[in-house]
Amino acid sequence: MQRQGSGGSAAIRFRVAGGVLLFAHLAVVAWLTLRPLDVPWVTAANLEPLAGIKADLAAGPVQAARRIGEGLLLLAPLGILLPMAGGRIAVSPWASLARTVAAGALMSLGIELLQTAVPGRVVDVDSLLLNTAGVALAHLLVVPAGRARLRRGGSGRRPAGRGGGRGRVLRDDVPQGPTPTIPRVGIAP
C-alpha cells in the first residue's frame, strides 16, 4: 500500500537521500555540540529567555551576528531534511511546518539536556530558541517552493518522442488501473 505523495523510484531515491543527509547532519551536530571542552572555568547555565542574546548584542554587532548566526544555522538543515526524508509532497503546509518545528525543538532540547553531562558545556535556553527559529526559517524558505516544484513535475522535462506527447510532463506516479478484486467464496457448512 502506498502512502499519499509517494510515487515510484524517484520518490524512493528522494527519501533515501533525505535520510542519509539527515543522518550525516545529525552526526556532525552531535560531534560539534556533545564533545567535551577543555576550559579552565564554565559559565552558569542560562535559563532566562533572551538574556544571552541581549548580552551578545551588548558585546558588539560582530560578536552578536556570529553567536546568533551560529544558533540559527546549527539545526537549520533539519527544516529541509526532515520533510525530505518524510517524502510527502501533497501535505498541508501548516501541518508540515508544525511537525518540522516541533521535531527541531525536541532535537534541540535533547542536545541541551545531553550537554549537562558533558564537561565544559552548559544549558542555554537561547540556543534552544535560536535552533528552533533556524529550523522554522529554513523550512519556510525552501520546503513550500520545493514541494510546489515537485508537484508541477520537477524540472518540466518533456518526453522525447515523435511529438505526440507535447506538453506532458514525465512522472513516476502514473496510475496503473483499478485495484483487482477477489470474488467472494461461499463458506462450507
Side-chain angles (χ1 to χ4, degrees):
M1 180 191 302
Q2 291 182 346
R3 289 185 350 186
Q4 177 184 7
S6 64
S9 62
I12 292 171
R13 285 192 305 266
F14 196 70
R15 290 180 73 185
V16 168
V20 169
L21 290 172
L22 179 64
F23 177 77
H25 175 68
L26 290 176
V28 169
V29 167
W31 182 77
L32 288 173
T33 59
L34 299 176
R35 63 186 172 150
L37 294 179
D38 188 22
V39 293
W41 56 272
V42 178
T43 60
N46 174 21
L47 300 177
E48 182 183 342
L50 304 178
I53 294 173
K54 289 176 189 174
D56 291 339
L57 290 172
V62 174
Q63 175 75 8
R66 185 181 71 79
R67 297 280 308 256
I68 292 171
E70 286 174 356
L72 287 173
L73 294 176
L74 181 67
L75 293 182
L78 293 180
I80 301 162
L81 295 175
L82 287 171
M84 186 175 170
R88 294 181 181 175
I89 294 175
V91 66
S92 165
W94 296 111
S96 174
L97 177 66
R99 270 194 310 268
T100 304
V101 170
L106 288 173
M107 285 188 192
S108 181
L109 179 64
I111 289 169
E112 292 299 322
L113 292 176
L114 286 173
Q115 283 182 342
T116 61
V118 178
R121 302 283 184 168
V122 293
V123 174
D124 185 6
V125 73
D126 291 336
S127 293
L128 177 73
L129 296 173
L130 288 172
N131 292 340
T132 305
V135 170
L137 286 172
H139 184 87
L140 287 171
L141 292 174
V142 176
V143 173
R147 283 188 174 142
R149 183 174 178 174
L150 287 172
R151 282 192 296 265
R152 280 194 315 265
S155 61
R157 291 178 283 145
R158 295 176 189 253
R162 295 184 221 152
R166 287 188 187 165
R168 288 186 18 207
V169 178
L170 288 177
R171 297 184 63 118
D172 287 335
D173 57 348
V174 177
Q176 298 178 1
T179 304
T181 58
I182 300 171
R184 290 210 162 259
V185 178
I187 298 176

